[in-house]
Amino acid sequence: MTNFLLYAAVVMIWGSTWIMVRYQVGVVPPEISVTYRIAIAAALMFCWAWAKRQPLRRPFPEHAFMALQGALIFSTNFFLLYMAASHLTTGVISVVFSTAATVTLVIKFFFMGRRPAPLALCGAALGVVGVGILFWPQVSTLTVSTGAGKGLLLSLGGTISFSLGSLVTARNQSAGITGPGCIAWAMGYGVLLLTAMAFFNGHRFKFDPAAPYVLSLLYLAVIGSFLAFAAYFALLKRIETERAAYATVLFPVVALSLSTLFEGFQWHAAEFTGVAITLVGNLLVSRSG
C-alpha cells in the first residue's frame, strides 16, 4: 500500500470518528466508553496477529515500552478527548488535535535537542495563533475551568499524550517492537489502565443499549481504532513522525464538515480565520520534516 493510500485512509477514518464520539458521551462514563472501544480493537488486533502467525510472546523488558505506548495513545489520549467532547463540538476538538505535528516538534526540541527548521517554527507560531483566535473569548478572560476553556485544556492534554505516544511508537518500531502483536499488547495495557481509572473514579461498568451508542462504538472500535491505527503505525514505519502527523492536518476538514451538519457548528469570521490559520500552520510544520 502506498503512502498516499495510507494517508487517505487515516484522514477519512479519523476525520469521521470525531462525530461518532458525540454519541459516546452521556450515559456511560468516558473512561468506560473508551475501555469498550479499545478492548474490542485489542481483541481484533490479537486475532489479526494470530492469523498472520505473528509472535505474541515478547521479552519482558519490551512490555514496559508497550505499556507506555498503550498508556499514552490507547487510554489517556482518548479519555481526555472524550472528556473534552462534553464541552466542545467534536469538530473544534479535531482542530486542536490537528496541532499534533507542532506538539511533536516542541517535544523533540525540549527533550531530544532537535532544533526545528525555520519553516517549522513559522508553522508552529501560526498554529498557536490560529488556536488562540478560535478560543480567544475563553483565553482572554482566563475561563479555563469551565465550558469551552476547560474543553481546550482537555483537548490539548489529549494531543500532548498522542504526540508523546507517537514518539514512543517510533522508538519501539526502531527497536523491533512492532507488528500487530505489539499493537495488541499496547492496546491491552491501555484497557488495564482505563479500567483502573474507572474504579479509581468510583464508576461502575454500565452499558447503553441505544442504537446510536452501540453503532458508534462499533465504528470507533473496528474502523476508528483497529483499521486506522494499523494504517497510522504503518505510516510511522515508512516516514518520520512529523510527516506521519501530516495526516492530522487534513482530517479536521472532514470533522468540521460533519460537525457543521450534525452538531450545528457555526462559522463566523473568528472561527473561519482561526481554523484556516491553524491548518496552514500545521501544513508548514509537517512539510518541513
Side-chain angles (χ1 to χ4, degrees):
M1 183 179 290
T2 65
N3 290 350
F4 173 79
L5 291 178
L6 288 171
Y7 270 127
V10 173
V11 168
M12 295 305 297
I13 293 174
W14 274 352
S16 62
T17 56
W18 296 95
I19 193 66
M20 296 296 177
V21 172
R22 176 191 179 197
Y23 302 104
Q24 295 289 291
V25 178
V27 176
V28 182
E31 59 268 46
I32 294 177
S33 285
V34 181
T35 299
Y36 294 147
R37 171 181 178 176
I38 302 304
I40 295 172
L44 292 173
M45 200 67 73
F46 273 118
C47 290
W48 184 27
W50 177 80
K52 293 187 67 175
R53 297 183 178 180
Q54 295 288 315
L56 292 175
R57 284 190 174 187
R58 309 291 301 192
F60 181 76
E62 293 186 359
H63 281 269
F65 290 100
M66 290 187 287
L68 181 59
Q69 179 185 6
L72 292 169
I73 287 190
F74 298 120
S75 54
T76 306
N77 162 42
F78 284 123
F79 170 67
L80 293 174
L81 295 175
Y82 274 48
M83 291 283 287
S86 298
H87 306 280
L88 297 172
T89 61
T90 56
V92 171
I93 298 173
S94 76
V95 175
V96 179
F97 187 76
S98 73
T99 62
T102 295
V103 173
T104 300
L105 181 148
V106 173
I107 292 172
K108 282 194 170 185
F109 173 71
F110 282 104
F111 295 100
M112 303 171 65
R114 290 185 54 174
R115 300 178 65 88
L119 184 63
L121 284 175
C122 180
L126 286 175
V128 172
V129 170
V131 172
I133 293 174
L134 190 61
F135 288 94
W136 180 247
Q138 291 74 38
V139 175
S140 62
T141 57
L142 297 178
T143 55
V144 295
S145 60
T146 59
K150 184 175 183 179
L152 171 61
L153 289 182
L154 290 168
S155 300
L156 288 173
T159 304
I160 293 170
S161 179
F162 175 83
S163 296
L164 288 170
S166 294
L167 292 174
V168 171
T169 300
R171 181 266 169 208
N172 288 355
Q173 290 181 337
S174 66
I177 309 174
T178 185
C182 295
I183 298 173
W185 276 116
M187 287 181 169
Y189 286 120
V191 169
L192 290 178
L193 178 58
L194 288 163
T195 302
M197 291 167 59
F199 281 109
F200 179 80
N201 291 328
H203 295 310
R204 294 184 178 181
F205 273 76
K206 60 175 67 174
F207 191 79
D208 184 358
Y213 182 86
V214 175
L215 294 176
S216 60
L217 173 62
L218 291 175
Y219 184 87
L220 289 167
V222 179
I223 308 298
S225 296
F226 172 61
L227 293 180
F229 274 106
Y232 181 73
F233 290 149
L235 275 178
L236 287 180
K237 289 181 65 175
R238 294 165 174 257
I239 54 182
E240 283 279 324
T241 51
E242 291 92 342
R243 290 189 178 275
Y246 176 58
T248 67
V249 175
L250 297 178
F251 71 67
V253 177
V254 178
L256 285 167
S257 299
L258 294 174
S259 183
T260 302
L261 290 174
F262 297 105
E263 292 182 304
F265 177 72
Q266 300 293 316
W267 288 94
H268 303 293
E271 283 75 14
F272 180 83
T273 303
V275 169
I277 291 176
T278 301
L279 296 185
V280 170
N282 295 340
L283 177 63
L284 293 178
V285 171
S286 298
R287 291 186 64 124
S288 67

